[in-house]
Amino acid sequence: MKPMTRRAVLALTAAVACATAAPALAEYPERPVELIIPFAAGGSTDVVGRIVAERMSAELGQQVIVQNVGGAGGSLGAQQVAEAEADGYTILMGTVATHALNPLILKEKPYDPVADFAPVSLLVLVPNVLAVNPELPVTTVQELIDLAKTEPLTYASSGNGTPLHLSGELFKSMAGVDIVHIPYKGSGPALTDVLGNQVPIIFDNLPSASSHIASGKLRALGVTTAERAASFPDIPTIAETLPGYETYTWNALFAPAGTPPEAIAKLNAAAKAAMADPKVVEQMATFSATIVASTPEELATHVAAEMEKWAPVVADANVSMD
């Protein structure tokens, strides 16, 4: 056997090194990624999640599979992700409920919204809306406040401890009025009773209420975001009457704490690419979602600010859940 040349030795050494290092250098993702939606199918979070999952699949080169894990106001799905292996293959479509409200409201804390998650990207902000049955003799936020100071009123929401309930409690606090909260098991039954004038006022997601507003079956008094909604530019913001008032529903991607930075970076890049796609931009605009597509650091800051904002509201409303 001829002795190996120096060039051959170097080539063989390089080949062995590459083979040995291959597992560590494997490209993420090598298999499908599971996206947990912590609510039932059909809601705004589910709609956003499925749109984003489809587009991210194309960016990642692997399918992003949506799984709905509803229950406990989003806590069951969030807990599942918090306890998942931190390898980038299980991620969460988080919301204001999973990462700001539930940790403040639930007596038993199934997860820590900061310590148990790695932020990926804040995707969109979705406005809520204050609306009334047209038979209620008010056409502006100020007229509603004035009426509430002279006679008892009630408002409906999708349930105790939901972002919509707390949007109402924040409104009451800032307006100095006492409107009785009537909780329902979802926006659907709440809307039914407001449309039937069983309850005169509702705080709802703008996408959910939009068709009734457009048809005139509901009278929108104000959107809850700082800026007017592009899809309903004639509806003023509540902040135009109550400066500083701002609430919204938001959707963001989280991974389990300890997920490798390389996986977080790829997920973030795929999410940003998805939210920049013209088709996705158009789809989000149809239900007044404002695209953000943040960095992980910006999402972490956002979660901290949301918890700080909602803590006194939850305390003042004396809201707690088992």
Side-chain angles (χ1 to χ4, degrees):
M1 180 181 294
K2 295 182 179 180
M4 295 181 69
T5 65
R6 183 173 181 274
R7 179 177 295 179
V9 170
L10 291 175
L12 179 59
T13 301
V16 171
C18 288
T20 303
L25 297 175
E27 285 293 319
Y28 167 87
E30 294 183 291
R31 62 180 192 271
V33 175
E34 185 177 45
L35 173 60
I36 301 297
I37 306 291
F39 301 99
S44 61
T45 298
D46 181 65
V47 173
V48 171
R50 290 177 185 278
I51 291 172
V52 173
E54 181 180 2
R55 187 61 183 81
M56 284 183 67
S57 296
E59 288 295 319
L60 293 170
Q62 292 285 352
Q63 188 176 3
V64 178
I65 301 172
V66 171
Q67 181 181 351
N68 296 89
V69 182
S75 288
L76 292 183
Q79 182 180 6
Q80 181 172 317
V81 175
E83 296 175 351
E85 187 172 352
D87 56 7
Y89 290 98
T90 304
I91 57 177
L92 174 74
M93 180 62 75
T95 69
V96 63
T98 62
H99 277 71
L101 300 183
N102 290 345
L104 295 169
I105 292 169
L106 294 173
K107 293 179 181 178
E108 297 293 330
K109 315 296 183 186
Y111 57 85
D112 185 305
V114 176
D116 291 341
F117 294 91
V120 176
S121 180
L122 175 61
L123 301 176
V124 294
L125 308 179
V126 179
N128 302 324
V129 64
L130 165 59
V132 299
N133 185 286
E135 293 186 26
L136 193 71
V138 299
T139 58
T140 67
V141 170
Q142 188 59 56
E143 287 179 359
L144 176 63
I145 294 171
D146 294 341
L147 182 63
K149 291 180 177 179
T150 63
E151 63 179 75
L153 294 172
T154 57
Y155 80 92
S157 85
S158 56
N160 276 320
T162 63
L164 300 169
H165 171 203
L166 293 174
S167 291
E169 295 304 307
L170 181 62
F171 176 84
K172 288 164 55 176
S173 174
M174 294 183 67
V177 296
D178 185 17
I179 304 174
V180 176
H181 175 230
I182 308 295
Y184 287 80
K185 293 182 179 180
S187 289
L191 275 169
T192 297
D193 273 10
V194 175
L195 293 170
N197 206 26
Q198 303 301 308
V199 181
I201 305 164
I202 189 170
F203 279 86
D204 196 16
N205 297 130
L206 182 56
S208 174
S210 60
S211 63
H212 302 298
I213 293 169
S215 69
K217 294 179 180 179
L218 280 180
R219 177 183 297 139
L221 301 186
V223 293
T224 65
T225 41
E227 304 293 334
R228 295 192 180 197
S231 56
F232 287 92
D234 294 335
I235 302 176
T237 66
I238 293 175
E240 290 173 41
T241 302
L242 296 175
Y245 182 95
E246 182 181 18
T247 73
Y248 41 76
T249 298
W250 48 265
N251 296 119
L253 292 178
F254 296 87
T259 298
E262 297 83 0
I264 296 296
K266 283 206 170 184
L267 289 167
N268 179 266
K272 285 186 172 182
M275 303 313 292
D277 184 277
K279 182 180 177 181
V280 173
V281 171
E282 182 180 355
Q283 289 171 309
M284 295 299 167
T286 60
F287 52 95
S288 302
T290 300
I291 292 174
V292 181
S294 77
T295 65
E297 295 76 15
E298 288 167 339
L299 174 54
T301 299
H302 176 78
V303 169
E306 285 287 275
M307 292 190 71
E308 183 178 1
K309 177 177 77 175
W310 286 114
V313 179
V314 169
D316 290 346
N318 194 28
V319 179
S320 65
M321 296 172 63
D322 293 328

